[in-house]
Amino acid sequence: MSSDPTDAPTPAPPSATARNGPAVSREEFDALFAAVRTWGRWAPADRGAWNRVSADHVRRATALVRSGTVVALARPWDTAPGPDNSKPALHYLSDLGDVEPPEPSTHKDFIGTDYHGKGVSHLDALSHIAYRGQLYDGGTARELVGAGGARFGDVSALGPLVTKGVLLDLPAVLGTSWLEPGQAVRAADVAAAEEALGVEIGEGDAVLLRVGRFRRRRELGAWDLDASSAGLHVEAVPLLAERGIALLGGDGDSDVRPSPVEGLHSPVHALAVAAMGVPLLDNLDLETLSATAAGTGRYEFLLVVAPLDIPGGTGSPVNPVAVF
Amino acid sequence: MSSDPTDAPTPAPPSATARNGPAVSREEFDALFAAVRTWGRWAPADRGAWNRVSADHVRRATALVRSGTVVALARPWDTAPGPDNSKPALHYLSDLGDVEPPEPSTHKDFIGTDYHGKGVSHLDALSHIAYRGQLYDGGTARELVGAGGARFGDVSALGPLVTKGVLLDLPAVLGTSWLEPGQAVRAADVAAAEEALGVEIGEGDAVLLRVGRFRRRRELGAWDLDASSAGLHVEAVPLLAERGIALLGGDGDSDVRPSPVEGLHSPVHALAVAAMGVPLLDNLDLETLSATAAGTGRYEFLLVVAPLDIPGGTGSPVNPVAVF
Amino acid sequence: MSSDPTDAPTPAPPSATARNGPAVSREEFDALFAAVRTWGRWAPADRGAWNRVSADHVRRATALVRSGTVVALARPWDTAPGPDNSKPALHYLSDLGDVEPPEPSTHKDFIGTDYHGKGVSHLDALSHIAYRGQLYDGGTARELVGAGGARFGDVSALGPLVTKGVLLDLPAVLGTSWLEPGQAVRAADVAAAEEALGVEIGEGDAVLLRVGRFRRRRELGAWDLDASSAGLHVEAVPLLAERGIALLGGDGDSDVRPSPVEGLHSPVHALAVAAMGVPLLDNLDLETLSATAAGTGRYEFLLVVAPLDIPGGTGSPVNPVAVF
Amino acid sequence: MSSDPTDAPTPAPPSATARNGPAVSREEFDALFAAVRTWGRWAPADRGAWNRVSADHVRRATALVRSGTVVALARPWDTAPGPDNSKPALHYLSDLGDVEPPEPSTHKDFIGTDYHGKGVSHLDALSHIAYRGQLYDGGTARELVGAGGARFGDVSALGPLVTKGVLLDLPAVLGTSWLEPGQAVRAADVAAAEEALGVEIGEGDAVLLRVGRFRRRRELGAWDLDASSAGLHVEAVPLLAERGIALLGGDGDSDVRPSPVEGLHSPVHALAVAAMGVPLLDNLDLETLSATAAGTGRYEFLLVVAPLDIPGGTGSPVNPVAVF
């Protein structure tokens, strides 16, 4: 979600307006927001759509495991600034065997990160986003989130998630290396991907959308995703809401940009987090997952997401794990 | 530059010397080190004993799931200093909806931690420990670990672990609330716990030792674990080595203290990490796991450990997940 | 100003209530606040009482220099937690000659600090304190200070200060090693100190109050200053206001504690910063300054305070310099 | 772990090689190093050339004050990444009046910085640089600087400096807005500047070299100074050594780049810090100083440098103060 003032937004290519899907007025967006809203449905509300994941879902998800192949989805901790990393992560060695006395000698390090943005694989808790001043379930953001942290919707309230993961591998479906920045993924694309990949998104599932960001980054270099990124058009969200997903994530941050919604930089964030109570996973590296899915022909798997337990935290860096 | 809890050691109670098991000379320790050493056994060596966890292990571990109950093992991020938290974790809100322009408004935070020590639930990678100047597999620590990070045995080399977890719940076995600080857990105790709890530690398993630290902490307050903590006596390590464990962890840091080994503050760390290539999980909160295991009568479960992917990192804060 | 929840407040000795001076009701305090208030007096208001320091003051302050003796007033960066250091400073080496390629080889470090509190020598800018929701000059704190920093009264607005410093060395006046924690310094004490030390506090001066904290700390160990500290009673503040001081500081944080004012933890902070626009210097080590002043018999000197230029910052760690 | 601007060197313009002065072989450089070396001259050696600044220098420096004009030399804390800020500084509000209970309410912040580089105004202590493995005065860098900090030449050993400052305002001398990146300043330029500006560099003086970096930055934007920056050619250093300067600084980092010395990225750093024991001030904003000097016609002034007292620190962010 970070768009730093320093980011020099790459001018969107001329065709971007078309590619990012139909323009949506603020009024239309608000109707969409109301339509997918699940406020008042769960207790505790902090867990939002993760309340959908029953013990039965957990059992069925673990039963998906066939080959025992384990795939990690985090990209490496990135300490180098760049167009998609305006807040480089910190990593300092604090003991090189010369601070605490041996034996044994110990090596230690300090890590630090302002992880929201485009650089760190992370989970957005429900306190991360407010729309029109309200957090998920209707609380007033200004009263519920302060310098001491979030008093509603913190990442501690979420805990870990164990569920079925579904990979919507758009480049695989389309036979391309990646989706170009600015390319919208629409409801029809989601439905087509389900069919092509032989999966069906169901209640409590985690949907991971691959647009091929890191393949493109490796081949062409980094760019400013706040200016131009492939992702979901809001028009695709009702389908996901109907299916009752628990988690949405991807190799971008789920939103197509430029945003097709008037005056809203991150409309899918607003819908997923604030209306539906669906946490988001941003900046996953899905290249190995894609290859593994292609190799096995299976685009569903056991997914485990284990955020750090940070009371008051608006999210957490994570390394989600898929097991085939 | 931080001062470690060792700076102001609480005097061990008079009986500690007895309770922490038989004294071990440095010579005896070195013989033990040689006996359990697995250097040269695996490629890549960086993953050490995690190489034992085959796809078959993963499948069998996921097949352990019955009830679908999910238990998180991390203790909350602790920003308050104390006798067992000399390097308080950092947590600052970096956006309260007033930095990045809405809509939607976003809340963001910065986290930081020098996680090795007694305060943070974390994983030790193989680069964390050197004995007599050597890392696991024999490399020279001074050459392999620098200000730029570890070039051998970093946490990125480990990746995630999915395997069978076994809870050795010592207080449950002994019918006590906790083991007193300074109490050694010996080979016979491990064997007795297996029998009492109906588990058998096998190759590739993750062994979690509960001594009841956090129950004691809640009832009696925090204390300096470097001076006095319940944990394994080195005499118990060969049994774990024979069984071929992949991971060792617990609610302490595995070592009994005061250390029974002459001149060695953390002898179990040296044996597990540097000799056997077994990463360690420190400072887990195992109270809920204990209650869940007692409730189901099952002390084995699916365990998923997903460290952050920090190139050069000597470990990672983690929130391991147990599934019953 | 930090009173961390974790601080276990040292019970104040029985005589503390008496020693910390007469009790002051909230009503009396508010009258005092109104009496010393300088709101609306200066433009820019952000610099508050530093506007009193004209070029002429600077010239006269530099003309005080006789011997050329230079004394630094900061205590060392303190990375060890303790009763008076609940937020230990961070210091990590980031390059030990092995990260950036030679030649030459370079050594680098990272520092970090949440400097307000009792551990770091620092300057409080005018945005640090609000009373009844208002910053100095009457602005609404909640509107003017956010996650992006202070939009009024930040430390950048202050810039450096060059003025006459006056050391009120209370233990020297009283012939003691230090003032006991909880001991109030009152108007009569300030006047008596001026006379005894041969100084007169004038407009634009910086007043440094020594209570001997660090001598006591070295001899007796650290204690919780939020529970008990020697410092000014609010009754002494009107005298300082009359004199038109520009800056107030000391080896404590200026406030006597327990606070004599009903419901106010830091009443001198409220008066100095929010009413008078007088920045504060907290936690200075004044032991060498005291010895130098005693040796030369001069308790006034050139003082230079050079805060870091942190836009939006509520203060800065500093190392003030006295020149005799 | 952070990547330095050197990672992506902007190709130097074709004329750079010529403009950066005559090429210097490593052998010639080593002869220069030997010629200006002051090892063994002072005790304590840690203070290096600051030992030249006697109480008499301090008195004479303060006697330079005429107008009482105070000028700060630090650039603002820069949290935005850029070509000359690869390690953005950290600034987070830690209390917005909602963490610690009122009254008064308090606002607090955390700052952090890995200050060496091009983004932060800072002082290099003598431990910052080693040449051929040796620190100033001949100690072995690898033994004297570790994860616990520098045991020789730390910034605490320096303490504050009060001395005469001399501004070598090259653009003012040359009648240009700035020196182009890559432009070398040579001995003859220094001598000509002294004459043109009516100053004479003497023993114990602080020399500040202005090349107009921040004027150029404001007008043309930031660039990578590691690839191309105006600064001193090593050939100018013997003149400064003869004069017995105590401190060298500027709006760049003193070195011209591309470096004219074979295989040495920062030869002036090596000569000043490691051979001569002269600390450096990097990245000062000298625009206001230049205007003030021009306005008064005086290019010498009282200079006060007050680094933070960081034991083991290799330098410190600073806000040097000039008084006219």
Side-chain angles (χ1 to χ4, degrees):
Chain A
M1 296 297 302
S2 143
S3 75
D4 247 65
T6 53
D7 287 343
T10 305
S15 57
T17 320
R19 284 193 289 113
N20 74 350
V24 175
S25 73
R26 192 65 176 275
E27 201 168 37
E28 290 167 320
F29 177 81
D30 284 346
L32 205 48
F33 192 95
V36 299
R37 192 164 52 191
T38 60
W39 297 6
R41 183 172 307 185
W42 292 295
D46 292 66
R47 292 198 87 218
W50 288 17
N51 284 295
R52 295 186 193 272
V53 183
S54 65
D56 196 51
H57 280 89
V58 173
R59 283 196 302 269
R60 277 185 281 130
T62 52
L64 289 170
V65 172
R66 304 278 158 77
S67 67
T69 305
V70 174
V71 180
L73 307 185
R75 64 182 302 250
W77 204 247
D78 192 348
T79 60
D84 61 353
N85 195 22
S86 63
K87 303 177 292 184
L90 308 180
H91 185 211
Y92 302 115
L93 273 284
S94 57
D95 189 348
L96 287 167
D98 52 358
V99 175
E100 193 180 327
E103 285 275 15
S105 51
T106 55
H107 308 109
K108 300 176 186 166
D109 40 10
F110 171 89
I111 59 166
T113 177
D114 188 352
Y115 54 88
H116 288 296
K118 314 298 182 199
V120 178
S121 300
H122 69 272
L123 178 72
D124 292 343
L126 299 189
S127 55
H128 175 50
I129 295 289
Y131 180 62
R132 297 196 180 277
Q134 290 181 291
L135 296 178
Y136 177 72
D137 220 49
T140 302
R142 193 160 178 175
E143 287 165 10
L144 291 170
V145 190
R151 284 177 295 280
F152 175 87
D154 70 354
V155 71
S156 290
L158 286 178
L161 184 73
V162 178
T163 196
K164 183 181 94 181
V166 174
L167 175 64
L168 294 184
D169 192 337
L170 270 291
V173 172
L174 301 171
T176 59
S177 296
W178 55 72
L179 267 60
E180 276 303 318
Q183 178 71 44
V185 175
R186 304 185 55 182
D189 299 318
V190 171
E194 281 184 291
E195 183 157 339
L197 303 172
V199 288
E200 197 181 335
I201 299 167
E203 204 199 359
D205 287 357
V207 173
L208 303 183
L209 177 71
R210 178 174 173 262
V211 298
R213 167 187 175 190
F214 289 103
R215 176 152 178 204
R216 188 177 190 274
R217 190 182 196 268
R218 276 160 212 150
E219 295 190 15
L220 303 183
W223 72 98
D224 175 8
L225 277 85
D226 268 317
S228 189
S229 51
L232 290 170
H233 189 279
V234 290
E235 174 254 3
V237 174
L239 174 61
L240 300 174
E242 264 167 49
R243 302 293 183 86
I245 64 168
L247 174 67
L248 178 62
D251 49 2
D253 72 355
S254 294
D255 263 293
V256 67
R257 292 198 184 84
S259 165
V261 183
E262 171 197 0
L264 270 181
H265 182 64
S266 305
V268 172
H269 276 68
L271 293 178
V273 179
M276 296 160 61
V278 169
L280 297 174
L281 281 173
D282 296 345
N283 311 316
L284 303 179
D285 187 331
L286 300 177
E287 297 309 299
T288 305
L289 187 70
S290 171
T292 306
T296 62
R298 301 179 65 228
Y299 286 83
E300 57 184 26
F301 38 83
L302 168 64
L303 181 74
V304 179
V305 182
L308 300 175
D309 183 355
I310 305 171
T314 69
S316 171
V318 285
N319 191 355
V321 177
V323 190
F324 284 84
Chain B
M1 318 289 305
S2 61
S3 89
D4 250 67
T6 44
D7 289 345
T10 304
S15 58
T17 321
R19 283 193 290 113
N20 75 350
V24 175
S25 72
R26 193 65 176 276
E27 199 167 39
E28 290 168 318
F29 177 82
D30 284 346
L32 205 48
F33 191 97
V36 299
R37 192 164 52 191
T38 60
W39 296 5
R41 183 171 310 184
W42 292 296
D46 292 66
R47 291 198 86 219
W50 288 18
N51 283 295
R52 296 185 190 271
V53 182
S54 65
D56 196 50
H57 281 88
V58 173
R59 282 195 303 270
R60 278 186 278 131
T62 53
L64 289 170
V65 172
R66 306 275 158 78
S67 67
T69 305
V70 174
V71 181
L73 307 185
R75 64 182 302 252
W77 204 247
D78 193 348
T79 60
D84 61 353
N85 195 23
S86 64
K87 302 178 291 185
L90 307 180
H91 184 214
Y92 301 115
L93 273 285
S94 58
D95 190 349
L96 287 165
D98 53 357
V99 174
E100 192 180 329
E103 287 272 12
S105 52
T106 55
H107 309 109
K108 301 177 187 166
D109 40 10
F110 171 89
I111 59 167
T113 178
D114 188 353
Y115 55 89
H116 288 295
K118 313 298 180 198
V120 178
S121 301
H122 70 272
L123 178 72
D124 293 342
L126 299 189
S127 54
H128 174 50
I129 296 288
Y131 181 61
R132 297 194 181 278
Q134 289 180 292
L135 295 178
Y136 177 71
D137 220 49
T140 301
R142 194 161 179 176
E143 287 165 11
L144 291 171
V145 190
R151 285 178 295 280
F152 175 88
D154 69 354
V155 71
S156 289
L158 286 177
L161 183 74
V162 177
T163 195
K164 183 181 93 180
V166 173
L167 174 65
L168 295 183
D169 192 336
L170 270 290
V173 171
L174 301 172
T176 59
S177 296
W178 55 72
L179 268 60
E180 277 301 320
Q183 178 72 44
V185 175
R186 304 184 55 182
D189 300 317
V190 171
E194 282 184 290
E195 182 157 339
L197 303 172
V199 289
E200 197 181 335
I201 300 167
E203 203 197 2
D205 288 355
V207 174
L208 303 183
L209 177 70
R210 178 174 173 261
V211 297
R213 168 188 174 190
F214 288 104
R215 175 155 178 201
R216 188 176 191 275
R217 191 183 194 267
R218 275 160 213 150
E219 297 190 14
L220 303 184
W223 72 97
D224 175 5
L225 277 85
D226 267 318
S228 189
S229 52
L232 290 169
H233 188 279
V234 290
E235 173 255 4
V237 174
L239 173 62
L240 301 174
E242 264 166 49
R243 302 294 184 85
I245 64 168
L247 174 67
L248 178 62
D251 47 2
D253 73 354
S254 294
D255 263 294
V256 67
R257 292 201 184 83
S259 166
V261 183
E262 174 195 359
L264 269 182
H265 182 65
S266 305
V268 172
H269 276 68
L271 293 178
V273 180
M276 297 160 60
V278 169
L280 297 174
L281 281 173
D282 296 346
N283 312 315
L284 303 180
D285 187 332
L286 300 177
E287 297 309 299
T288 304
L289 187 70
S290 171
T292 306
T296 61
R298 300 179 65 229
Y299 286 84
E300 58 183 24
F301 40 83
L302 168 63
L303 181 75
V304 179
V305 183
L308 301 175
D309 183 356
I310 305 170
T314 68
S316 170
V318 285
N319 190 357
V321 177
V323 190
F324 284 85
Chain C
M1 298 293 303
S2 140
S3 73
D4 247 66
T6 53
D7 287 342
T10 305
S15 57
T17 320
R19 284 192 290 113
N20 75 349
V24 176
S25 73
R26 192 65 177 275
E27 200 168 38
E28 290 167 320
F29 177 82
D30 284 346
L32 204 50
F33 191 95
V36 300
R37 192 165 51 191
T38 60
W39 296 5
R41 184 171 306 186
W42 292 294
D46 292 66
R47 290 198 88 219
W50 288 19
N51 283 295
R52 295 185 191 271
V53 183
S54 65
D56 196 50
H57 281 89
V58 173
R59 283 196 302 270
R60 279 186 279 129
T62 53
L64 289 170
V65 172
R66 305 277 156 77
S67 65
T69 305
V70 174
V71 180
L73 307 185
R75 65 182 302 251
W77 204 247
D78 192 349
T79 59
D84 60 354
N85 195 24
S86 64
K87 302 177 292 185
L90 308 181
H91 185 212
Y92 302 115
L93 274 285
S94 57
D95 189 348
L96 287 166
D98 52 358
V99 175
E100 194 179 326
E103 286 273 10
S105 52
T106 55
H107 308 109
K108 301 176 185 167
D109 40 11
F110 171 88
I111 58 166
T113 177
D114 187 353
Y115 54 89
H116 288 295
K118 314 299 181 196
V120 178
S121 301
H122 69 273
L123 178 73
D124 292 342
L126 299 190
S127 55
H128 174 50
I129 296 288
Y131 180 61
R132 296 196 181 279
Q134 288 181 292
L135 295 179
Y136 177 71
D137 221 48
T140 301
R142 192 158 179 177
E143 287 165 11
L144 292 170
V145 190
R151 286 177 295 278
F152 175 87
D154 70 354
V155 72
S156 291
L158 286 177
L161 182 74
V162 178
T163 195
K164 184 181 93 180
V166 174
L167 174 65
L168 295 184
D169 192 336
L170 270 291
V173 172
L174 301 172
T176 58
S177 296
W178 55 72
L179 268 60
E180 277 300 319
Q183 178 71 44
V185 175
R186 305 184 54 181
D189 299 320
V190 171
E194 281 184 292
E195 183 157 339
L197 303 172
V199 289
E200 198 182 335
I201 300 167
E203 204 198 0
D205 288 356
V207 174
L208 303 183
L209 177 71
R210 177 174 173 262
V211 298
R213 168 188 173 189
F214 288 103
R215 175 151 178 205
R216 187 176 191 276
R217 191 183 194 270
R218 277 161 212 151
E219 297 190 14
L220 303 184
W223 72 98
D224 175 7
L225 278 84
D226 268 317
S228 188
S229 52
L232 290 171
H233 189 278
V234 290
E235 175 255 3
V237 173
L239 174 61
L240 301 174
E242 265 167 48
R243 302 295 183 83
I245 63 168
L247 175 67
L248 177 63
D251 48 1
D253 73 354
S254 294
D255 263 295
V256 66
R257 290 202 185 83
S259 165
V261 183
E262 175 196 357
L264 270 182
H265 183 64
S266 306
V268 172
H269 276 68
L271 293 178
V273 179
M276 298 161 60
V278 169
L280 296 174
L281 282 173
D282 296 345
N283 311 317
L284 303 179
D285 187 331
L286 300 177
E287 297 310 298
T288 305
L289 187 70
S290 171
T292 307
T296 62
R298 300 180 64 230
Y299 287 83
E300 57 183 26
F301 40 83
L302 168 64
L303 182 74
V304 180
V305 183
L308 300 175
D309 183 356
I310 305 170
T314 69
S316 171
V318 286
N319 191 355
V321 178
V323 190
F324 283 85
Chain D
M1 314 292 303
S2 62
S3 92
D4 252 66
T6 41
D7 289 343
T10 305
S15 57
T17 322
R19 284 192 290 114
N20 75 350
V24 175
S25 73
R26 192 66 177 273
E27 200 168 38
E28 289 167 320
F29 176 81
D30 284 346
L32 204 49
F33 191 95
V36 299
R37 192 165 50 191
T38 61
W39 296 5
R41 183 172 310 186
W42 292 298
D46 292 65
R47 291 198 86 219
W50 287 20
N51 284 295
R52 295 185 191 271
V53 183
S54 65
D56 196 50
H57 281 87
V58 174
R59 282 196 303 270
R60 278 186 279 131
T62 54
L64 289 170
V65 172
R66 305 277 158 78
S67 66
T69 304
V70 174
V71 181
L73 307 185
R75 65 181 301 252
W77 204 247
D78 194 348
T79 59
D84 60 354
N85 195 24
S86 64
K87 303 178 291 185
L90 307 180
H91 184 212
Y92 302 115
L93 273 286
S94 56
D95 190 349
L96 287 166
D98 53 357
V99 175
E100 193 180 327
E103 283 275 13
S105 53
T106 55
H107 308 110
K108 301 177 187 168
D109 41 10
F110 170 89
I111 59 166
T113 178
D114 188 353
Y115 55 90
H116 289 294
K118 314 299 181 197
V120 178
S121 301
H122 70 271
L123 178 72
D124 292 342
L126 300 190
S127 53
H128 175 50
I129 295 290
Y131 181 62
R132 296 196 182 276
Q134 289 180 292
L135 296 178
Y136 177 71
D137 220 50
T140 301
R142 192 159 181 178
E143 287 165 10
L144 291 170
V145 190
R151 285 177 296 278
F152 175 88
D154 69 355
V155 71
S156 290
L158 286 178
L161 183 74
V162 178
T163 195
K164 185 181 90 177
V166 174
L167 175 64
L168 295 184
D169 192 336
L170 270 291
V173 171
L174 301 172
T176 59
S177 296
W178 55 71
L179 268 60
E180 277 301 320
Q183 178 70 45
V185 176
R186 304 185 53 182
D189 299 317
V190 171
E194 281 184 291
E195 182 156 339
L197 303 172
V199 289
E200 198 182 334
I201 299 167
E203 204 198 1
D205 288 356
V207 174
L208 303 183
L209 177 71
R210 178 174 173 262
V211 297
R213 167 187 175 190
F214 288 103
R215 177 154 177 201
R216 189 178 190 275
R217 190 182 195 270
R218 277 162 213 150
E219 296 190 16
L220 303 184
W223 72 98
D224 175 6
L225 278 85
D226 268 317
S228 188
S229 52
L232 291 170
H233 189 278
V234 291
E235 173 255 4
V237 174
L239 174 61
L240 301 174
E242 265 168 46
R243 301 295 183 86
I245 64 167
L247 175 67
L248 178 63
D251 49 0
D253 72 353
S254 295
D255 263 294
V256 68
R257 293 200 183 84
S259 166
V261 184
E262 172 198 1
L264 270 182
H265 182 64
S266 305
V268 172
H269 275 68
L271 293 178
V273 179
M276 297 161 61
V278 169
L280 296 175
L281 281 173
D282 296 346
N283 311 317
L284 303 179
D285 187 331
L286 300 177
E287 296 310 299
T288 305
L289 187 70
S290 171
T292 306
T296 61
R298 301 179 64 229
Y299 286 83
E300 58 183 25
F301 40 82
L302 168 63
L303 182 74
V304 180
V305 183
L308 300 175
D309 183 356
I310 305 171
T314 69
S316 172
V318 285
N319 191 354
V321 178
V323 191
F324 283 85

